[in-house]
Amino acid sequence: MKDGTHPWTVRVIYIVPADTQPWLEAKQRATECLEDLQWFFADEMQRLGYGPMTFEIARDGEGSLVFYQIDSDLAPDDFRKKYWNNCKNAVGTHRLRDLDYVTVYFFEAYSIYNGAAGSRGWHRGRGGEAFISSLHLKMARREWLTNSNGYAGEVFDWIDSEPMKDNTLSWNGRGPTLGDVSGSGYGVVAHELAHCFDPPKQVKGQRGPQGLLMGNGCRGMRGYFQPDLTEDRCFLREEDAAAFSKNGFFARRRLRPKSAAFPDQP
């Protein structure tokens, strides 16, 4: 890579459709989210007996997250449909697609009114690709995790200019509070990222925000950060941890200190 990073790391590509304003906080928020999720995987791997193994973030020579912004000629509606194909096509013209990495694509196209906030991830080559609407990243906010207030009537310009209704952000069983919403945002990113590390096939049938990361338990990620504030929980299966322990992306890492997303942190 021209930026000097090496494979077996996780990098981010941010795609902005035509006639769309980029989200100025995207790089900062992606950095925060990935750094917090490094700790989630390390803690869960430790709990399951494999030691504090986790993924490594691709950083440049100054220690900053490797973050590519691509301006696309396609309209937002194109990314609300087959977003994974259009993300791949967008990076292909820039020769950025490299399956020796895990690449997280955040695309700036969603609608909170018709449920268009897609996400999916998969293992490819040695690495993998996760395609995630930026709305999930916008909701994964450290400062919301401790907030048990509802969001009805609130205006978040970086989501929409209209006041939120009491269920605007709670589709697919996400909770009614800002803390619930934030936890589900983290959980979606973690779930799709984990697909890139080639976990075993998941069992079907799990419901609700209490349980497996690779099931609907990803919506309960708030319980990992703030267990005293919610009964929601999110954890790895032993089978997933066993697979990750043999994956080249996982090793013991020197991580930055835990952030304010965790209790008793500055």
Side-chain angles (χ1 to χ4, degrees):
M1 295 290 297
K2 293 180 179 179
D3 53 37
T5 63
H6 59 88
W8 302 107
T9 55
V10 175
R11 59 184 184 155
V12 172
I13 295 177
Y14 174 60
I15 299 176
V16 183
D19 300 320
T20 301
Q21 290 298 314
W23 182 38
L24 299 182
E25 295 182 34
K27 181 177 180 179
Q28 171 196 341
R29 294 294 181 172
T31 300
E32 292 176 357
C33 185
L34 289 176
E35 288 181 352
D36 291 341
L37 292 179
Q38 280 183 309
W39 279 106
F40 168 78
F41 284 101
D43 287 344
E44 282 296 283
M45 294 293 285
Q46 174 84 345
R47 178 181 67 82
L48 291 165
Y50 294 95
M53 301 179 73
T54 192
F55 61 90
E56 182 178 357
I57 296 172
R59 299 184 186 273
D60 61 23
E62 298 180 353
S64 181
L65 168 73
V66 172
F67 181 93
Y68 299 98
Q69 179 175 318
I70 294 177
D71 297 323
S72 173
D73 293 331
L74 296 176
D77 279 347
D78 294 311
F79 287 95
R80 292 172 188 152
K81 299 169 186 175
K82 294 186 177 180
Y83 51 86
W84 56 95
N85 283 336
N86 287 323
C87 286
K88 289 188 290 185
N89 292 338
V91 302
T93 60
H94 292 265
R95 298 184 179 180
L96 285 175
R97 196 172 181 222
D98 188 332
L99 298 181
D100 286 340
Y101 292 82
V102 163
T103 301
V104 181
Y105 301 82
F106 291 111
F107 53 96
E108 191 63 45
Y110 56 84
S111 171
I112 59 175
Y113 299 110
N114 63 16
S119 67
R120 63 169 52 191
W122 49 53
H123 174 70
R124 290 289 187 274
R126 291 200 305 178
E129 297 174 303
F131 306 89
I132 306 171
S133 166
S134 66
L135 179 58
H136 300 294
L137 182 62
K138 290 178 179 182
M139 296 190 302
R141 304 176 76 82
R142 288 173 173 173
E143 63 270 28
W144 278 7
L145 286 165
T146 58
N147 193 328
S148 296
N149 295 327
Y151 46 79
E154 298 285 348
V155 176
F156 307 116
D157 289 337
W158 32 266
I159 294 180
D160 193 81
S161 60
E162 297 295 322
M164 300 288 106
K165 297 180 180 179
D166 60 2
N167 63 349
T168 304
L169 301 177
S170 60
W171 75 98
N172 286 345
R174 290 161 175 80
T177 74
L178 289 173
D180 298 325
V181 166
S182 180
S184 71
Y186 272 101
V188 168
V189 177
H191 175 100
E192 304 303 352
L193 178 61
H195 274 301
C196 300
F197 304 130
D198 200 19
K201 184 177 180 180
Q202 302 298 310
V203 295
K204 296 182 179 180
Q206 185 197 18
R207 296 290 184 271
Q210 297 181 3
L212 304 179
L213 172 69
M214 302 313 294
N216 289 336
C218 67
R219 299 173 193 163
M221 181 66 80
R222 186 190 187 197
Y224 164 67
F225 294 106
Q226 301 289 333
D228 294 340
L229 298 181
T230 177
E231 294 182 357
D232 292 351
R233 293 293 180 268
C234 181
F235 52 84
L236 290 181
R237 293 191 310 168
E238 199 286 331
E239 297 95 322
D240 297 327
F244 296 161
S245 71
K246 300 173 184 176
N247 186 289
F249 283 85
F250 268 65
R252 293 171 182 257
R253 311 287 186 191
R254 178 174 293 181
L255 303 183
R256 298 186 181 189
K258 284 188 174 180
S259 75
F262 298 87
D264 303 321
Q265 302 298 320

